[in-house]
Amino acid sequence: MFERTANLVNNQIINYKCDPSEKWLVLIGIAPGAPERPQLVKGNMQLFSVDQQRSQALESHAASFAQFKVPGNENPSILISFATKSFNAGQIVSKLHVIELGAQPGKPSFSKKQADLFFPPDFQDDFPVAMQISHKYSLIYVITKLGLLFVYDLETATAVYRNRISPDPIFLTSEASSAGGFYAINRRGQVLLATVNEATIVPFVSGQLNNLELAVNLAKRGNLPGAENLVVQRFQELFAQTKYKEAAELAAESPQGILRTPDTVAKFQSVPVQAGQTPPLLQYFGTLLTKGKLNAFESLELSRLVVNQNKKNLLENWLAEDKLECSEELGDLVKTVDNDLALKIYIKARATPKVVAAFAERREFDKILIYSKQVGYSPDYLFLLQTILRTDPQGAVNFALMMSQMEGGCPVDYNTITDLFLQRNLIREATAFLLDVLKPNLPEHAFLQTKVLEINLVTFPNVADAILANGMFSHYDRPRIAQLCEKAGLYVRALQHYSELPDIKRVIVNTHAIEPQSLVEFFGTLSREWALECMKDLLLVNLRGNLQIIVQVAKEYCEQLGVEACIKLFEQFKSYEGLYFFLGSYLSSSEDPDIHFKYIEAAAKTGQIKEVERVTRESNFYDAEKTKNFLMEAKLPDARPLINVCDRFGFVPDLTHYLYTNNMLRYIEGYVQKVNPGNAPLVVGQLLDDECPEDFIKGLILSVRSLLPVEPLVDECEKRNRLRLLTQFLEHLVSEGSQDVHVHNALGKIIIESNNNPEHFLTTNPYYDSRVVGKYCEKRDPTLAVVAYRRGQCDDELINVTNKNSLFKLQARYVVERMDGDLWEKVLNPENEYRRHLIDQVVSTALPESKSPEQVSAAVKAFMTADLPHELIELLEKIVLQNSAFSGNFNLQNLLILTAIKADPSRVMDYINRLDNFDGPAVGEVAVEAQLYEEAFSIFKKFNLNVQAVNVLLDNIRSIDRAVEFAFRVEEDAVWSQVAKAQLREGLVSDAIESFIRADDATHFLDVIRASEDANVYPDLVRYLLMVRQKVKEPKVDSELIYAYAKIDRLGEIEEFILMPNVANLQNVGDRLFDEELYEAAKIIFAFISNWAKLAVTLVRLKQFQGAVDAARKANSAKTWKEVCFACVDAEEFRLAQICGLNVIVQVDDLEEVSEYYQNRGCFNELISLMESGLGLERAHMGIFTELGVLYARYRPEKLMEHIKLFSTRLNIPKLIRACDEQQHWKELTYLYIQYDEFDNAATTVMNHSPEAWDHMQFKDIIVKVASVELYYKAVHFYLQEHPDLINDLLNVLALRVDHTRVVDIMRKAGHLRLVKPYMVAVQSNNVSAVNEALNEIYVEEEDYDRLRESIDLHDNFDQIGLAQKIEKHELLEMRRVAAYIYKKAGRWKQSIALSKKDNHYRDAMETASQSGERELAEELLVYFIEQGKKECFASCLFVCYDLIRADVALELAWINNMIDFAFPYLLQFIREYTGKVDELIKDKIEAQKEVKAKEQEEKEVIAQQNMYAQLLPLALPAPPMPGMGGPTMGGGFAPPPPPMGGMGMPPMPPYGMPPMGSSY
């Protein structure tokens, strides 16, 4: 958004805000304070204008934006408030500023405000961290780091309040707009909500701050209580000064609307209007409209003025702007000018009856239901329905349906609504209504369902049929509907509703009037037995006519009825046609052979030959044997069905025999040629068996030709020894170019049999099967069989025939020529009894004859695979050593030597000396594997393989001496390397090092180093490593060289070496030297590489502590400091240990370990001194303060409290609490609980350990903050036992929190009820029964009747009757008066009067009788006074009980007892009162008559004016009669006179006259 200004560089940003319009932004940061006061943090602010794209830098710690409406400016102003605290010239200046941003030209602006922020002395370094502005109250909240809260008025910047709201630092705040305050989070994690107390802030500002103007402004802005008297007083002052506009504004803005009353309106109405000036009343209403919304009374008065002035448009505007509060009275007023506007007002005012009446007048009946549902009103729906029905039947239906959909059910019974429609013969409308409301299909609607069906079956059967078709009803009277359906000709519906079989049979035979599909569907609803019965009846009535329906039923429901039952039904009526049609539909899904056979049988008997042919061809489930027999017996003219059965199920011979014997040769030819030529061999065989002429057979065969399978044909002929029959056929096929193997096999057999040059055929014909023909030749001529088998590579057959006939030479030649590994394996198998004969023929004949290397190789490989080494050697010697073509063959020489190694090692050395063209390295390795070490050594020497040779000496012969001798002879580095490695393995380390040096070999330095270390030959190792360093640059070499120097104590060479270029891993070397306690050498290494941590530890091992501390300081590592510290502690170098410890304890994780180390060694004082020194460290953390507190608790308890109070905010209080609890420091423990807000534990600790922990003032502060209610009562018990003199003080503090009844019970059980009398007096205002009874009991005991009467008057929650009974016999008269008073308050008038009369308190008795309102008690009291001769009391009683005593009774008693003089004042008063009442009644009557006449006259004038429009107006219902007037009634007559008027206790008066003089009261 913008770049930071210079004053925010290196600042910590703590806040960023924008104003509501997002035109102004503010960024706030803090930085360290001035050098002269660094602890006071400096605040910087950057204010940025989005419109101007400019910034301004200011000093500020907190800021916030607000909107404020300046008087005279309709647009709100943008204000910014910011707080600063700075240090200038040695003074701290704290200010709060409120200024306007972007003042509007030409408009009143907000004047800049400034106020001081007063920080207490203890908070001089505190500073603001957040600011929130309450838009609800227009108050500024300034929150500081240490939890101070400043409250200022936004408009005047006046200070309102200051207090500390959190003991912990606050770091985050957020506005709480709904509460008018803010949320804050402190360092402890508590979330605080701060806001003003609406009930007390205004009295606080006006009272304690004595700022009346601010109090009034606060009350007006926030609508707050407490300024009522001030506002009323100010209003009266303005009104008296005729400042009506100001008074109107004050009334409009009065808090909680205290001045917006009818009295205020009347006050403005009473002001006389000055000519040319706006009436004050209109000024008042105008001010209210600009401020907001008028209340109901104000809206009515203003509307009355507007209506009188005929300015209806103003009303519409105000209602649209929601400026008026709608009421029924306002609607009545507006109705005189605009019905639509009045309806809107009625709706807003929720004047439901008026709204319903208005909708009825407008004929918008649907809106009545919607509105009534919305407001929960119930109009007279039946009347409304009747009204609609007269004019709009369809509208009545819609209205009825809307009623039926109302929540809670239809207000009018459905049957009643239906009868209303039917009464007017509106059957369609009644049906439409019932169909809609009966959709749920409920059992309770059974009657209505029957009703709607009945009326439609009688009048509109098609409608009833449609209703039944929908299936929407299921609870109607089905038998009744079934009868009606049958009468109406709806037979299907009748069938669906009848439930008895005779009824169904009676109806079902009407098939002429029933749709077949419907009838079929009906059968699906019947049981199996009933369905079959009905089907039988239909067949009996009309077999031909109903057969199609029965077939359709059987097809549709065959699974339910059972296929067997259906078949039996058709067979019972011998209806093969029905059986044919039924089974035809079922056949495709059935696998029952019997079903398929019956279908074939039915089709055959009905002449459906094509169907018989199709089924026999396609079906797989009929019984073939049974079907074949049936078809043969049926002798159908068409043999194709029989052909299908026999062809598919293998009855070809039977078919051939049937066709041949029945002279159906045409079908034989057709079957062979067209149906299945593959079965021609079977046909030929059967014809041969039937002795059919050969010409027919040959013709039949030739007609098929290539389609005929040759092999089975040959088999059939060969079985019957008629093979020559096929000669012509076979030759014909060959001439046509047939390559079929069976053709040539058959032809070959014929040639062999006839001995017509078979060798030529066997060798030249490529098509015959060698295996078949060879098998045919074996018994006739084995050599021919060998020829056939050789041609077809029939290995097994050829081997078998040659073995069987001892033809081993042929066999050997064949095996060598074949070069097949599997064949060689088979013939060379040890289980082959002819193997030796074959080997002899191979060695003597076959291989010498062969000139093919591949054949020789295959044979050799076969011998090797067969593991015949001796035979192989014999073979190879003959080939290799006897100057054959293969004598110099490299592979054969290798094979000869290798075979000898394996089979005859004694010949190997001779072969090595005689042969030269073999693979020396490979053969040598094989010799080594065969443990022929000398032969292997000779081979390697022969081929100059010195390394392999020396390896044989070292690894196999194991002669290091011979190896050394051989190495001196050949002088090769590689040989010396091998010797060195062998010497190293044997542990001859020095010799090995010498050999490695001779070999100049540095590759095995790791093994040499390891062996040297094991043998401890470090001098030799140094020589070797110096040689290695010349060849390789390895860290391991240089590192080991340094280590070797250290082991032989050559420290000077170490220093020289590390100064030279090297690649040693000095860190690892140093660690290794350290681990092996070579500390001096390690010190050199660590000092050189500046590893101060290791150096420090090394110096500790060398007891050089001062140097260790210096090294640790350079290392600056917590681990190092800790190790050096612990070493110094063990060495009792506590000064150095403290230096190290101070660097350790600043690490939280190491603090506890250091503490335990000191404590385990008993160094308590030194540990405390270390921790005390650590308090002043810049990096001192909470753990140090806490650990020091724990140490004080254990070892220096006298310093514990002071430490806790000084550093309470920097302690880990839970940990210190555990320590204090363990060490039993109860006072300190209590203080810690208070600081940690665990007030329950604090209170418990004080009560459990009161001698040390109790302090009255402190305990009072604690107990009011506890969360557990039980602690209140535990505290009461505690004070009762230990501090009874202070218990009232405690209870006064807890008065708002405890259950007063329980406290009284506690004190009563303890017998010290009087002790808490001050407390009970203080809380008696709560009117608690137990408190009232306890105090009354105390007052009775103390005979304090004044307090007792006061208690009874003010607090009535106690057992009144019980108290009265207790004190009615008290010896004190005043106590008995109190008892009578209690009886009077309890309504026990007789007991109260009796008690007063007994004590001669006649005044009390008279007042009681008057208050009772019972005439009998008053008159009995009069009689009592007469009896007692109390004439003055008699006169007083007449006055006191004036309203109760009847005048005739009083006069009668006075006249009889001669007390007329004492009754005369009563008589005068009575006559005066009733005379005045009569006068008022007469006056009211006369005025009412005048008003009636005036209204009649006014109506006549209005009617006269409207006569000209009379014909245009619609007819309307007559208006109700006016009071006192006659008017037309619904019947056309006149209304009766108004009822007689009564009231004021007078008897009714006749109309128009005074009561006759003689009438009695």
Side-chain angles (χ1 to χ4, degrees), residues 1327 1329 1332 1351-1360 1385:
N1327 200 18
S1329 174
N1332 294 337
S1351 173
I1352 293 169
D1353 283 337
L1354 297 177
H1355 315 291
D1356 57 356
N1357 187 12
F1358 63 93
D1359 184 4
Q1360 298 182 2
K1385 285 177 65 68

Side-chain angles (χ1 to χ4, degrees), residues 77-140:
S77 300
I78 302 297
L79 306 182
I80 184 172
S81 174
F82 56 93
T84 65
K85 187 173 184 180
S86 58
F87 185 77
N88 293 322
Q91 298 293 326
I92 297 177
V93 180
S94 303
K95 293 289 184 182
L96 175 71
H97 302 272
V98 183
I99 62 174
E100 182 178 1
L101 299 174
Q104 304 166 22
K107 299 292 182 68
S109 61
F110 182 85
S111 57
K112 179 179 179 181
K113 302 293 189 303
Q114 178 177 308
D116 292 327
L117 291 171
F118 298 100
F119 283 85
D122 296 340
F123 294 84
Q124 289 302 312
D125 294 329
D126 194 10
F127 61 93
V129 293
M131 178 183 294
Q132 298 293 339
I133 297 180
S134 170
H135 302 285
K136 183 176 182 180
Y137 304 118
S138 292
L139 294 176
I140 303 172

